[in-house]
Amino acid sequence: METELKYYLLLFFVSAILGWCLEVVCKLVQLHRFINRGFLIGPYCPIYGVGAVSVTMLLSRYEDSPLAIFGLAILICGTLEYVTSFLMEKLFHARWWDYTGRRFQLNGRVSADTLVPFGLLGLVMIYCLKPWFFNLLSKISISVLDCLCVILCVMMSTDIGISSWALIRIRVRAEH
C-alpha cells in the first residue's frame, strides 16, 4: 500500500511536468514564443498531476468499460478544471485560462475543446501509461523511490510558497 502511494505521487509529478510541457509547446506553436504556462516557477502544472492521479485512482476499477472511463474522465477533469479556475481567480484575482470565445464552454472555465481530449487521455492513462509506468517503478528500489518523493515534494512545496507569496505581493501592490 505504501509503495503504491509513492507510485501515485511520482505519477503526479511526471504528469504535472508533462502537462507543463504540453502547455508550453501549444503556446509556442500558437504564439511563436515561450510562455511559462504554470502558476508556479518550476516546470510543472499541478492540475495535470491531480487530474492524472484522480483519473487513475478512481477509474481503474472500470477497466472493462472504455466508454465509462471516457465519460468519467471528462467529468473528473472538467470538474477539476472548473474548480481550479474558480479558486485561482478568487485567490489571486487572475485567470490562467479563458474559453469565453469558444463554443460549448461554461463561464469561460471549461470547454468541450479540452474536455474531449481529457477523456481520450483518461483512456490512454488507464490502458497504457499506468500499467507501463507502475511496472517501470516496480524495478526501482524503495530507497530511491523514497528519495525521489522527498526531493520532489520539498521542491514543489518551496515553489508553491514562493510563487504564492509573489502573486499575493503583486496583488497587494496592484490594489494600492
Side-chain angles (χ1 to χ4, degrees):
M1 178 74 168
E2 184 180 324
T3 301
E4 190 171 298
L5 288 175
K6 291 173 190 152
Y7 290 5
Y8 280 112
L9 185 59
L10 293 170
L11 176 64
F12 166 82
F13 283 108
V14 168
S15 300
I17 291 167
L18 291 175
W20 180 86
C21 291
L22 175 72
E23 292 274 341
V24 167
V25 168
C26 286
K27 286 300 172 188
L28 188 61
V29 168
Q30 181 184 13
L31 303 174
H32 306 291
R33 63 188 172 105
F34 172 83
I35 297 175
N36 181 2
R37 289 290 296 162
F39 149 73
L40 302 171
I41 296 164
Y44 30 71
C45 291
I47 190 172
Y48 284 94
V50 172
V53 169
S54 298
V55 164
T56 304
M57 288 182 86
L58 297 172
L59 302 184
S60 290
R61 70 184 80 175
Y62 300 108
E63 218 170 87
D64 60 337
S65 179
L67 191 57
I69 291 172
F70 179 78
L72 290 169
I74 286 175
L75 180 65
I76 291 167
C77 293
T79 302
L80 176 63
E81 187 172 38
Y82 192 94
V83 169
T84 302
S85 171
F86 179 83
L87 291 175
M88 299 278 291
E89 186 174 343
K90 294 303 173 198
L91 288 170
F92 301 110
H93 300 284
R95 274 198 169 194
W96 272 258
W97 62 89
D98 189 353
Y99 304 124
T100 300
R102 296 184 183 183
R103 293 177 52 198
F104 308 114
Q105 54 84 23
L106 181 61
N107 299 326
R109 298 185 191 286
V110 294
S111 169
D113 299 19
T114 58
L115 294 179
V116 171
F118 287 142
L120 295 172
L121 283 171
L123 292 168
V124 170
M125 182 61 71
I126 298 299
Y127 295 117
C128 302
L129 296 179
K130 179 191 173 194
W132 174 80
F133 188 67
F134 281 28
N135 182 52
L136 178 69
L137 292 178
S138 72
K139 296 173 181 7
I140 300 173
S141 76
I142 296 297
S143 58
V144 170
L145 290 176
D146 287 342
C147 286
L148 275 172
C149 289
V150 168
I151 289 167
L152 292 169
C153 284
V154 167
M155 280 178 32
M156 186 173 278
S157 297
T158 303
D159 194 338
I160 289 169
I162 292 169
S163 297
S164 296
W165 177 81
L167 285 170
I168 289 168
R169 298 276 303 158
I170 290 168
R171 186 179 100 198
V172 167
R173 285 185 182 166
E175 290 173 356
H176 288 98

